[in-house]
Amino acid sequence: MDRFTAHHSRSSAQRAMNRCRELSETPYSDIPDGLFRPFLGPAHTITSERVTSWMQDAGLSVRRDAIGTLIGRYEGTQPDAPALLIGSHIDSVRNGGAFDGMLGVLLAIECVSALHSNNQHLPYAIEIAAFGDEEGSRFPQSMLGSRMLSGKSVGSVAEIQDQDGVTLQEALKGVGLDIAYLESARRSPHEFLGYLELHIEQGPILDKEGLSVAAVEAIVGIRRFHVILKGEAGHAGTVPMEMRRDALAAASEIVLGIEAYANQSEGQLRATVGKSEAFPGAINIIPGRVAFTVELRSADHSGLDCSVLNVTSLIEAICAKRNISATIFDRQDFEPALCDTRLTTLLEDCIETAGHPRKRLVSGAGHDAMMMCDWIPTTMLFIRSPGGISHHPAETVELKDVAAAFDVMMTFVSSLDARRVRPEGEMQ
Ligand code: GLV
Ligand code: MN
Ligand code: MN
């Protein structure tokens, strides 16, 4: 395929960026100031409709699977050939940025739109997946869309609840989906040639090195769990200090303990207590109960399991000392994922062909690609995040970097040689 002109790349990149910005405000956000688009909420529904219409304009036929993932398909010239799957997510964290996830979906649509406007079809179909639940911002489970699609077990999720007590089953029903059909979201790996996800880096490395894009060779593993500490509420003025069972004081010691533990790991471990709430929550009441989350990330599988044990022991020891009870629940484990060597090398070749230095990174952020790595050949393309800022309203991208990613993606989708990516024997 002829290379796209610089003008074409910039206008495709500009449109994808404009659309990301458009979708970062009401009604595409469920909060008035800033972006919050949790799974299956009103903003997710209306965003899905908008993205559907853009997919259709780009020549894709669109459907929604049983877990709410939008799937657009642009046919190839060989009807039975496995398709290239390109995806990312359209949900967001609370007070998140406009480009996390969304840019990957909208730039993939731009690629298909470019093919469509040239009336060009590749030997294989392209499917674009817009997952609705990468962030886990609503339910105590995340990546349900990519986990279902890639045939992973999700356990019994019908009754998991959001913070208002709405179950997943009810939330799906609210958008016209029936949990009874959940299994129909599963796909066969034989349907796909591979998976490509484009995403902002969300970290500072490309910015520091002055690079626009990089291929991703691996994604860190994640362990998540929730903790409830129970002490005893009481009068802030009458209960002597030595008689207290203050759950918030215990939680504070735990938070600092976890931070100190991660600091000792020499960069191997990232540990975060991202959310905590004290009850009953009044200036003159000793907190009797505290709920908080713990998240641990590392590229080292056994190191991660070991850190879960150590953090659990730390919680237990602090609680025993303070006569507080601790309950740990809703644990989620995502293993570190290795991208496909062949596909990642091909992506690096495309980076070079598009006129940029070869570069590989390990992702410290989680992505739907993690669910694909052990299922079909998978790779990711990162775009520079200015200042490394993400999960923050100031998250942004630069036009030249997005245009570079568009070039790399176009080169990649059109130069993919099906026989090289998944040789015959591997498709059995
Ligand atoms: C997703 O953005 C994550 O890394 O949690
Ligand atoms: Mn995110
Ligand atoms: Mn993301």
Side-chain angles (χ1 to χ4, degrees):
M1 179 197 296
D2 293 337
R3 288 279 309 285
F4 277 81
T5 62
H7 170 72
H8 194 136
S9 307
R10 286 176 81 86
S11 63
S12 300
Q14 187 67 68
R15 185 163 68 168
M17 287 169 63
N18 292 348
R19 287 175 170 181
C20 286
R21 292 213 171 91
E22 177 187 339
L23 296 181
S24 68
E25 293 173 0
T26 48
Y28 305 105
S29 167
D30 283 338
I31 54 175
D33 299 310
L35 172 62
F36 183 37
R37 191 163 43 232
F39 186 37
L40 305 175
H44 180 215
T45 301
I46 187 165
T47 300
S48 298
E49 286 163 10
R50 194 91 175 104
V51 172
T52 296
S53 73
W54 289 332
M55 282 185 174
Q56 286 166 338
D57 292 347
L60 294 132
S61 53
V62 190
R63 67 185 179 86
R64 195 174 53 152
D65 77 5
I67 189 75
T69 303
L70 284 184
I71 301 177
R73 186 174 167 98
Y74 185 71
E75 292 300 339
T77 52
Q78 295 169 21
D80 297 327
L84 172 65
L85 182 62
I86 309 180
S88 199
H89 62 98
I90 61 171
D91 62 323
S92 86
V93 291
R94 182 178 286 279
N95 217 21
F99 302 96
D100 177 358
M102 186 59 82
L103 183 62
V105 172
L106 297 185
L107 209 58
I109 295 174
E110 290 301 330
C111 284
V112 172
S113 175
L115 293 172
H116 183 58
S117 56
N118 275 358
N119 199 18
Q120 187 169 6
H121 290 264
L122 303 169
Y124 37 83
I126 294 180
E127 290 201 22
I128 300 179
F131 298 110
D133 177 35
E134 192 266 359
E135 302 284 10
S137 313
R138 180 168 179 186
F139 295 98
Q141 293 263 344
S142 57
M143 304 206 200
L144 285 167
S146 44
R147 280 157 72 195
M148 286 304 304
L149 191 143
S150 64
K152 307 267 176 316
S153 156
V154 295
S156 42
V157 286
E159 300 303 324
I160 58 170
Q161 293 181 2
D162 68 9
Q163 64 177 18
D164 300 322
V166 179
T167 64
L168 177 62
Q169 177 165 9
E170 289 162 347
L172 285 168
K173 194 165 170 210
V175 300
L177 293 168
D178 184 343
I179 200 149
Y181 296 105
L182 204 55
E183 292 299 310
S184 69
R186 298 193 186 287
R187 305 286 296 271
S188 158
H190 304 300
E191 293 179 65
F192 299 109
L193 202 51
Y195 176 78
L196 170 68
E197 179 162 355
L198 171 128
H199 204 284
I200 53 170
E201 181 201 342
Q202 306 182 274
I205 297 171
L206 292 182
D207 200 28
K208 218 166 85 195
E209 296 186 15
L211 298 174
S212 290
V213 288
V216 176
E217 58 185 349
I219 307 169
V220 295
I222 304 177
R223 300 285 183 271
R224 287 181 172 158
F225 54 86
H226 292 239
V227 185
I228 288 189
L229 302 186
K230 282 196 185 131
E232 197 166 12
H235 196 290
T238 61
V239 183
M241 296 309 287
E242 69 280 8
M243 289 177 69
R244 294 183 179 205
R245 294 171 60 219
D246 183 331
L248 185 55
S252 310
E253 193 175 341
I254 290 168
V255 172
L256 292 179
I258 291 174
E259 186 190 45
Y261 174 67
N263 280 341
Q264 285 165 15
S265 75
E266 291 172 354
Q268 294 307 301
L269 181 71
R270 306 253 155 89
T272 308
V273 174
K275 186 175 173 185
S276 76
E277 224 177 336
F279 303 93
I283 196 165
N284 55 356
I285 306 179
I286 300 160
R289 184 162 59 94
V290 170
F292 65 93
T293 57
V294 177
E295 209 209 56
L296 306 164
R297 298 190 186 212
S298 171
D300 168 17
H301 175 280
S302 58
L304 254 187
D305 282 334
C306 175
S307 64
V308 173
L309 289 177
N310 288 335
V311 167
T312 307
S313 307
L314 181 142
I315 294 172
E316 284 166 357
I318 291 170
C319 287
K321 187 179 73 182
R322 291 173 167 271
N323 195 15
I324 299 278
S325 77
T327 313
I328 294 178
F329 61 105
D330 276 344
R331 179 165 157 183
Q332 262 200 297
D333 290 2
F334 295 130
E335 301 311 328
L338 284 180
C339 291
D340 182 72
T341 320
R342 252 189 310 235
L343 220 53
T344 305
T345 304
L346 182 65
L347 190 61
E348 271 190 311
D349 293 344
C350 297
I351 290 175
E352 206 166 33
T353 308
H356 304 275
R358 299 176 84 88
K359 176 75 187 170
R360 282 183 180 215
L361 285 177
V362 171
S363 173
H367 298 289
D368 291 296
M370 295 170 86
M371 299 302 130
M372 307 296 172
C373 281
D374 66 353
W375 189 62
I376 53 177
T378 292
T379 194
M380 287 190 76
L381 180 66
F382 268 178
I383 300 183
R384 178 204 332 237
S385 288
I389 299 166
S390 187
H391 282 189
H392 189 282
E395 171 187 289
T396 189
V397 282
E398 281 178 21
L399 178 60
K400 71 171 170 28
D401 299 333
V402 180
F406 175 82
D407 279 342
V408 174
M409 229 169 161
M410 285 309 293
T411 313
F412 182 85
V413 299
S414 53
S415 64
L416 208 56
D417 177 345
R419 287 156 309 170
R420 244 189 352 134
V421 177
R422 294 198 86 174
E424 284 293 290
E426 288 184 14
M427 294 297 292
Q428 303 312 309

